[in-house]
């Protein structure tokens, strides 16, 4: 990539990106002056998204119509997952019961409801029973009650069984193995029947604010911007959806939520959230090996005792011999050479797992970040004009590895708190956007709070020298016996992105080559996720500073993003001319897992939403 | 006589480019449950062309038509959001839908075009799930109308349509009289996005419902699918060092 020193009489003094790539289609000279803060090295331009390169000063956008069409609803919900849909359903149930009019609009970035949903999953039907007591008659796809529950501690070759005593958080009696994508799709159908306006394929890209700082609603993504950031012929502005209250149910580490935390200082009294990445595959196995209703969990190999993580393998009962399996790796790991994807692939070779998969066929793959922080990391969830629901603030019960029931319940509590206020005759509110602090009060009185409080110390108990074993002992003693009533609250280790040690202090991990039968390479796995994006759009993995990846991530940590991204988005490739490397972002591969935004040691990557409909095409994941 | 209405005939396809398709265990077809379906990309181009013609005032009304189960109304709504005036949904579901092929669809479109006195019928050149490339041509034959297929440029000139067609040898320009059938190829235009405000407005536009029987169309298929299989996995190639090795290997496996 050749660099051009570009100067212009109307010099911009923004410190912006460096040289244009020589193969840019709309190459136009003389636009920007740039200065380097740090090195004099040449960095090819990577980021062109308007959140980093503002359009108001960009001459290519002069004269482009930027007016947005706006519409009003009573409640707008961002995200069509369990939390968002449960909130929408509950709102409409209340509206129909009390014969009140209520316009509820839900926007979802996936092309269809359920296409971006990924989870194990063992569903605890508690929240569902509250939402629809007749869910069975309505055809909810809970087809696989759990029949056996197996827990193992794996070593490289062997397996130590761990008794699954009743009362342990992992015990699954009464739960159902579900394909969460199908369950969410069913919830979507119920919501539409109740009159919720659902708009899949439209991503909420921007939060809108009233003059007084309260949330006014959201704006959906613009379409028709070329890869270099210029407008195409088909450019269209997104639309504004205004509401009295906006619910943000973006799931784990939502990009709008990230903004809202800063805007309203919602995290000042809680610990920074800590996460894990979950990778999952669905296999069609040999019928002889199929045990429908069987739940298997393991800890131990291939992760060492100081890397939090474990695996799951669930036998579904939906006509075909399908199993859902995967590995979860805590993102507070310290070795930059660790690759969660490759840990997952090599775990499948363990004799206990391999015997189930041998002779089978892999039919799906995907990945997503999940919350591990629990009680200690719960932020303030209400602010003027809006609130956070579901995995976005993070109600996952980590030792149970279940978050769907609490996400649904949080959505329902939000709906119940909002409804009286939003249908009240006179909207008595200090701020233009409604503030509903009752939601947070209701949360604290509900079973979500009790549940999260009782398991709050299990995850942090892994942080001692004894790592995994310390954690298991702690769970056995304090949770099983004392039910979390101990008076202390352990702390987490801090920001996940700050946990990586420099590469030179760590040893590289030798991963086995994929054998093509049980384990596979990254690119064929990504193909199975069905992910795709419109190619000609700015990469949605934006970098605040394009020079940081090579200067910091590669230099100190040997480019961990090449390893933690489960979709092969980040690659360090040699520069076309001269020496050195550059970061190549293959944005089209992205499966929207959010791991890069979480784990980047420089916190330079800011994941923003791409054009709606892009992303994975999960079917019942 | 200026053209009154244009029919755009849409197909709802399995978006076979990116989601994962697998063969049903009984080999009777592919698994379609839960797989992403949307408007066939060539039909999007057809809709765009029809809307463009309306914007240039060559035609008065664009009607979007599609055959299939209820899912298909979403596709018609998208077409309405792109600028069509009204929609017609011909309900075909269950066994009839699984057996539905280009001939049945062509019969339906032909019957509708006659009934509504359309001047132009525009379709995508082929559906990306079956790649048949037959519906447009069959529709024209049933109606006994001229056809301009693989169109990469369409110009209306009075009572005639000038069509530039993409053919194996290059580009062919023909002039055909209306009423006519056109099928859209990739380079005809770049379809506009169906923006959210337009989707919301499209909810108010009319979609009429009818059944093939209402049009007097017999849906019986004369084609029976015997078996569907995945393509065989590609075998690894063998590299040899010299020409002698190559000849030896070819002799060894009986090729020469």
């Amino acid at each position: 990539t050749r660099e051009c020193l570009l100067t212009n009489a109307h010099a911009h003094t923004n410190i912006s990106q460096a040289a244009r790539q020589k193969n840019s289609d709309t190459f136009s000279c003389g636009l920007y002056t740039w200065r380097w803060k740090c090195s004099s090295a040449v960095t090819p331009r990577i980021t062109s998204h308007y959140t980093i390169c503002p359009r108001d000063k960009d001459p290519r956008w002069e004269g482009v119509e930027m007016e947005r069409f706006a519409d009003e609803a009573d409640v707008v919900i961002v995200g069509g997952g369990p939390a968002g849909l449960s909130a929408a359903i509950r709102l409409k149930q209340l509206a129909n019961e009390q014969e009140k009019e209520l316009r509820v609009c839900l926007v979802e970035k996936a092309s269809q409801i359920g296409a971006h949903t990924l989870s194990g999953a063992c569903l605890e039907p508690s929240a569902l029973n509250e939402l629809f007591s007749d869910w069975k008659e309505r055809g909810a796809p809970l087809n696989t009650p759990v029949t056996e529950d197996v827990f193992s501690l794996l070593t490289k070759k062997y397996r130590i069984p761990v008794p699954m005593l009743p009362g342990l958080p992992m015990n699954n009696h009464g739960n159902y193995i579900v394909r969460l994508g199908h369950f969410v799709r069913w919830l979507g159908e119920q919501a539409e029947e109740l009159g919720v306006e659902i708009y899949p394929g439209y991503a909420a890209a921007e939060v809108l604010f009233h003059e007084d700082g309260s949330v006014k609603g959201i704006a959906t993504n613009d379409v028709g911007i070329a890869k270099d950031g210029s407008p195409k012929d088909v450019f269209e502005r997104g639309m504004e959806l205004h509401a009295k209250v906006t619910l943000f149910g973006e799931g784990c580490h939502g990009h709008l939520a990230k903004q809202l935390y800063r805007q309203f200082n919602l995290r000042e009294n809680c610990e920074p959230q800590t996460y894990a990445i979950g990778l999952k595959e669905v296999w069609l196995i040999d019928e002889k090996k199929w045990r429908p209703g069987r739940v298997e969990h393991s800890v131990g190999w291939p992760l060492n005792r100081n890397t939090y993580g474990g695996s799951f393998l669930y036998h579904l009962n939906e006509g075909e011999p399908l199993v859902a399996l995967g590995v979860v790796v805590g993102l507070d790991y310290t070795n930059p050479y660790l690759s969660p994807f490759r840990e997952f692939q090599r775990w499948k070779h363990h004799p206990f797992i391999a015997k189930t998969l041998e002779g089978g066929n892999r039919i799906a793959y995907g990945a997503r970040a999940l919350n591990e922080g629990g009680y200690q990391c719960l932020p303030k969830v209400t602010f003027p004009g809006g609130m956070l629901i579901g995995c976005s603030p993070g109600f996952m019960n980590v030792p149970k590895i279940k978050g769907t029931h609490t996400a649904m319940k949080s959505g329902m509590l939000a709906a119940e708190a909002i409804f009286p206020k939003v249908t009240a005759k006179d909207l008595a509110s200090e701020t233009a956007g409604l503030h509903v602090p009752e939601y947070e009060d209701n949360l604290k009185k509900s079973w979500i709070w009790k549940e999260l409080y009782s398991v709050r110390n299990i995850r942090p108990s892994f942080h001692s020298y004894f790592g995994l074993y310390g954690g298991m002992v702690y769970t056995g003693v304090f949770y099983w016996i004392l039910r979390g009533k101990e008076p202390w609250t352990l702390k987490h280790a801090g920001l996940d992105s700050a946990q990586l040690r420099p590469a030179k202090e760590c040893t590289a991990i030798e991963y086995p080559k994929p054998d093509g039968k049980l384990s596979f390479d990254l690119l064929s796995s990504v193909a199975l996720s069905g992910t795709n994006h419109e190619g000609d759009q700015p990469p949605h993995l934006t970098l605040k500073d394009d020079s940081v990846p090579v200067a910091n991530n590669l230099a100190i940590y040997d480019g961990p993003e090449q390893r933690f991204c489960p979709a092969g988005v980040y690659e360090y490739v040699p520069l076309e001319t001269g020496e050195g490397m550059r970061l190549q972002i293959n944005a089209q591969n992205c499966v929207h897992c959010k791991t890069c935004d979480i784990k980047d040691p420089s916190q330079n990557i800011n994941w923003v939403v791409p054009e709606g409909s892009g992303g994975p095409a999960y079917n019942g994941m | 006589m200026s053209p009154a209405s244009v029919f755009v005939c849409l197909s709802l396809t399995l978006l076979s480019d990116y989601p994962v398709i697998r063969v049903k265990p009984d080999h009777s077809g592919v698994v379609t449950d839960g797989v992403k379906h949307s408007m066939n990309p060539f039909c999007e181009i057809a809709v765009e062309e029809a809307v463009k013609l309306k914007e240039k005032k060559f035609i008065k009304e664009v009607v979007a038509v599609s055959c299939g189960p209820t899912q298909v109304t979403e596709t018609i709504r998208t077409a309405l959001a792109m600028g069509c005036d009204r929609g017609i949904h011909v309900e075909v579901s269950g066994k009839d839908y699984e057996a539905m092929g280009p001939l049945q669809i062509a019969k339906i479109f032909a019957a509708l075009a006659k009934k509504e006195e359309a001047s132009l019928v525009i379709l995508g050149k082929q559906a990306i799930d079956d790649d048949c490339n037959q519906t447009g041509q069959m529709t024209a034959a049933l109606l006994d109308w001229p056809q301009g297929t693989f169109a990469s440029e369409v110009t209306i000139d009075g009572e005639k349509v000038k069509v530039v067609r993409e053919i194996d040898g290059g580009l062919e320009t023909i002039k055909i009289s209306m009423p006519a059938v056109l099928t859209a190829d990739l380079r005809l235009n770049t379809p506009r996005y169906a923006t959210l405000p337009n989707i919301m407005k499209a909810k108010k536009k009319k979609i009429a419902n009818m059944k093939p029987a209402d049009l007097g169309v017999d849906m019986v298929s004369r084609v029976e699918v015997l078996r569907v299989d995945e393509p065989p996995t590609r075998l690894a190639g063998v590299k040899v060092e010299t020409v002698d090795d190559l000849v030896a290997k070819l002799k060894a496996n009986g090729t020469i």
Side-chain angles (χ1 to χ4, degrees):
Chain A
T1 330
R2 209 168 293 124
E3 89 263 30
C4 302
L5 278 168
L6 304 168
T7 52
N8 190 328
H10 321 289
H12 295 273
T13 53
N14 305 343
I15 296 177
S16 59
Q17 275 63 43
R20 303 236 179 194
Q21 288 177 300
K22 71 174 184 221
N23 48 1
S24 155
D25 290 338
T26 53
F27 191 99
S28 41
C29 267
L31 283 180
Y32 301 108
T33 309
W34 48 270
R35 288 187 250 122
W36 274 130
K37 298 191 271 194
C38 36
S39 71
S40 57
V42 174
T43 303
R45 181 165 177 206
I46 302 174
T47 304
S48 52
H49 198 271
Y50 64 81
T51 49
I52 307 283
C53 311
R55 290 176 290 196
D56 47 354
K57 300 219 169 41
D58 187 335
R60 299 170 303 179
W61 287 87
E62 244 185 80
V64 175
E65 181 57 62
M66 296 297 265
E67 203 43 59
R68 275 191 288 225
F69 182 80
D71 202 0
E72 303 274 334
D74 292 299
V75 181
V76 162
I77 301 178
V78 174
L85 289 168
S86 300
I89 290 172
R90 194 77 194 102
L91 278 169
K92 276 309 220 174
Q93 281 176 340
L94 288 167
N96 294 344
E97 264 169 48
Q98 301 185 25
E99 287 170 1
K100 294 217 166 102
E101 291 279 324
L102 195 67
R103 184 172 185 209
V104 180
C105 290
L106 186 149
V107 287
E108 161 60 46
K109 62 174 165 54
S111 55
Q112 49 190 43
I113 300 285
H116 286 188
T117 302
L118 182 139
S119 182
C122 268
L123 181 67
E124 201 182 279
S126 48
L128 180 59
N129 287 331
E130 288 181 34
L131 189 63
F132 287 118
S133 52
D134 57 346
W135 54 259
K136 216 184 176 103
E137 288 79 41
R138 285 172 177 262
L142 272 66
N143 302 315
T144 313
V146 174
T147 55
E148 21 165 8
D149 218 334
V150 170
F151 196 91
S152 324
L153 173 55
L154 298 180
T155 64
K156 187 154 184 193
K157 292 207 202 101
Y158 303 106
R159 169 192 169 243
I160 303 167
V162 174
M164 207 16 61
L165 303 165
L168 275 177
M170 302 283 265
N171 188 296
N172 274 301
H173 184 72
N175 297 337
Y176 293 83
I177 305 174
V178 292
R179 298 179 72 171
L180 197 62
H182 288 166
F183 177 69
V184 168
R185 184 178 64 177
W186 173 83
L187 276 178
E189 288 163 13
Q190 305 306 306
E192 278 196 305
E193 262 178 50
L194 285 167
V196 178
E197 286 176 54
I198 300 190
Y199 297 111
Y202 295 97
E206 220 183 290
V207 184
L208 302 168
F209 297 96
H210 287 288
E211 295 263 322
D212 63 4
S214 60
V215 169
K216 186 167 158 185
I218 52 102
T220 60
N221 57 285
D222 294 345
V223 291
I225 305 181
K227 197 165 181 164
D228 64 2
S230 60
K232 295 195 277 200
D233 288 329
V234 285
F235 172 74
E236 293 267 2
R237 268 302 247 167
M239 172 178 165
E240 295 191 7
L241 276 172
H242 300 168
K244 299 180 185 135
V245 191
T246 310
L247 272 62
F248 292 87
E250 297 170 285
C252 174
H253 205 78
H255 80 111
L256 292 180
K258 194 174 167 185
Q259 200 191 335
L260 291 165
Y261 291 142
R262 277 196 307 263
Q263 183 85 13
F264 293 105
N265 224 349
L266 302 171
R267 299 202 75 96
E268 57 184 342
N269 292 324
C270 66
E271 288 188 44
Q273 185 62 264
T274 165
Y275 302 89
I277 178 177
L279 300 107
K280 174 181 172 180
E281 286 174 0
V282 177
W283 282 62
L284 202 54
I285 55 171
D286 185 343
E287 257 198 76
K288 295 194 271 309
K289 313 205 173 151
W290 183 39
R291 318 255 288 261
R294 181 178 165 91
V295 161
E296 289 176 27
H297 290 115
S298 84
V299 288
W301 192 83
L303 300 171
N304 67 28
R305 72 165 193 274
N306 290 110
T307 304
Y308 181 82
S311 76
F312 62 91
L313 198 154
Y314 303 149
H315 292 246
L316 286 154
N317 190 5
E318 300 194 356
E320 298 179 279
L322 286 178
V323 294
L325 63 146
V327 154
V328 170
V329 178
L331 284 177
D332 57 348
Y333 67 83
T334 53
N335 185 345
Y337 291 106
L338 191 129
S339 161
F341 173 77
R342 302 194 79 174
E343 298 289 351
F344 175 31
Q345 297 303 314
R346 74 168 165 172
W347 164 78
K348 286 186 281 176
H349 283 284
H350 188 280
F352 187 63
I353 314 297
K355 71 174 198 255
T356 308
L357 297 180
E358 251 140 31
N361 259 326
R362 182 175 75 151
I363 61 170
Y365 165 82
R368 182 73 170 92
L370 42 133
N371 300 295
E372 293 273 315
Y375 180 80
Q376 294 88 325
C377 301
L378 286 172
K380 201 161 159 312
V381 291
T382 66
F383 43 89
M387 45 183 66
L388 301 167
I389 56 176
C391 276
S392 183
F395 298 109
M396 187 165 134
N397 181 330
V398 176
K400 258 194 197 175
I401 43 171
K402 290 179 180 50
T404 312
H405 62 310
T406 46
M408 287 174 71
K409 181 67 176 167
S410 71
M412 289 154 65
L413 288 172
E416 286 159 10
I418 297 173
F419 185 76
K421 290 198 131 177
V422 116
T423 50
K425 284 274 154 55
D426 358 78
L427 221 53
S429 173
E430 287 177 355
T431 50
L434 268 187
H435 189 189
V436 190
E438 288 81 354
Y439 164 53
E440 189 151 349
D441 299 332
N442 291 354
L443 272 178
K444 294 194 170 134
K445 293 188 219 136
S446 73
W447 50 258
I448 299 182
W449 218 257
K450 288 193 203 50
E451 202 178 305
L452 291 181
Y453 186 77
S454 70
V455 296
R456 73 195 180 289
N457 284 324
I458 297 183
R459 176 69 176 88
S461 69
F462 282 72
H463 288 304
S464 73
Y465 172 77
F466 298 103
L468 169 66
Y469 308 115
M472 289 177 76
V473 167
Y474 189 97
T475 309
V477 174
F478 289 100
Y479 183 76
W480 194 56
I481 301 175
L482 290 181
R483 295 260 151 252
K485 291 198 175 55
E486 66 271 30
W488 56 81
T489 299
L490 300 174
K491 278 180 137 52
H492 292 290
L495 269 179
D496 289 333
S497 52
Q499 303 303 317
L500 277 182
R501 300 210 330 262
K504 62 181 196 288
E505 290 174 24
C506 305
T507 31
I509 305 179
E510 273 284 322
Y511 288 107
K513 264 187 145 51
D515 73 347
K517 293 209 238 345
L518 285 176
S519 52
F520 301 90
D521 65 295
L522 186 58
L523 290 180
S524 61
S525 308
V526 176
L528 276 184
S529 69
T531 192
N532 196 22
H533 295 86
E534 161 62 52
D536 194 12
Q537 66 172 307
H540 62 280
L541 302 120
T542 65
L543 303 173
K544 292 185 209 149
D545 183 339
D546 279 353
S547 64
V548 164
V550 173
N552 201 35
N553 291 28
L554 186 59
I556 304 178
Y557 302 99
D558 196 46
E561 56 268 58
Q562 305 171 89
R563 299 186 190 93
F564 60 56
C565 175
V569 169
Y570 299 98
E571 270 185 288
Y572 282 96
V573 295
L575 283 168
E576 276 84 0
T577 55
E579 282 196 26
M581 307 284 266
R582 65 176 177 89
L583 177 66
Q584 177 167 285
I585 297 187
N586 304 314
Q588 279 178 282
N589 288 9
C590 182
V591 291
H592 297 206
C593 76
K594 314 295 173 64
T595 303
C596 55
D597 195 311
I598 295 166
K599 190 59 176 168
D600 176 15
S602 324
Q603 285 292 280
N604 188 37
I605 301 175
N606 193 37
W607 189 99
V608 298
V609 81
E611 267 182 29
S613 294
Y618 297 141
N619 179 7
M621 283 292 263
Chain B
M1 172 191 88
S2 82
S5 74
V6 162
F7 262 50
V8 181
C9 300
L10 314 172
S11 125
L12 174 72
T13 53
L14 284 179
L15 214 53
S16 57
D17 281 351
Y18 3 105
V20 184
I21 301 290
R22 57 184 176 110
V23 175
K24 285 194 196 154
D26 63 358
H27 291 274
S28 61
V30 293
V31 176
T32 54
D33 182 42
V35 179
K36 182 170 160 179
H37 283 69
S38 54
M39 196 193 298
N40 184 34
F42 293 111
C43 298
E44 279 178 14
I45 299 177
V47 173
E48 176 65 22
E49 196 58 25
V51 173
K52 273 201 165 72
L53 287 174
K54 183 176 118 170
E55 285 170 351
K56 292 190 205 148
K57 307 242 192 271
F58 285 113
I59 53 173
K60 279 225 208 88
E61 188 192 33
V62 182
V63 185
V65 183
S66 195
C67 316
T70 28
Q71 263 183 304
V72 147
T73 42
E74 304 247 337
T75 317
I76 304 182
R77 287 260 173 249
T78 311
L80 292 174
M82 285 169 76
C84 298
D85 298 295
R86 59 185 172 93
I88 300 180
H89 171 206
V90 181
E91 265 187 68
V92 182
S93 47
K95 281 256 140 13
D96 277 345
Y97 180 60
E98 282 172 34
M100 188 172 80
L103 181 58
Q104 288 73 32
I105 304 180
K107 285 183 185 170
I108 294 177
F109 288 163
L112 269 174
K114 254 199 262 187
K115 180 162 172 280
E116 302 262 347
E117 292 177 358
S119 354
L120 265 184
V121 174
I122 311 185
L123 306 91
K125 70 170 179 180
Q126 64 200 56
I128 64 172
D129 52 11
D130 58 23
D131 275 340
C132 282
N133 196 321
Q134 295 164 359
T135 312
Q137 292 87 332
M138 286 179 174
T139 313
L142 288 167
L143 287 166
D144 200 25
W145 287 3
Q147 54 183 275
T149 52
F150 306 98
S152 69
E153 211 185 296
V154 169
T155 335
I156 298 200
D157 188 5
E159 291 291 311
K160 297 206 186 270
V161 187
K162 189 173 97 174
V163 182
V164 177
R165 305 179 56 229
E166 294 198 14
I167 60 172
D168 290 343
L171 295 173
E172 177 192 57
T173 311
I174 60 172
K175 215 176 215 178
I176 53 179
S177 0
M178 292 204 276
V181 173
L182 304 174
T183 72
D185 206 327
L186 189 60
R187 278 156 281 270
L188 184 54
N189 59 50
T190 310
R192 65 196 63 189
Y193 287 87
T195 57
L196 187 54
N198 288 335
I199 294 268
M200 289 180 173
K201 285 189 206 144
K203 290 205 169 174
K204 302 196 181 81
K205 293 188 185 173
K206 280 209 68 185
I207 298 184
N209 255 319
M210 52 182 78
K211 293 215 154 61
D214 301 338
L215 298 163
V217 170
D218 145 39
M219 291 298 285
V220 171
S221 174
R222 285 139 184 84
V223 174
E224 189 196 330
V225 173
L226 295 175
R227 196 183 155 89
V228 177
D229 280 304
E230 278 184 29
T233 34
R234 207 172 149 189
L235 298 166
V238 177
K239 263 189 170 168
V240 291
E241 298 291 308
T242 69
V243 176
D244 290 329
D245 283 346
L246 175 62
V247 174
K249 277 226 149 56
L250 288 174
K251 279 195 176 149
N253 75 4
T255 317
I256 50 172

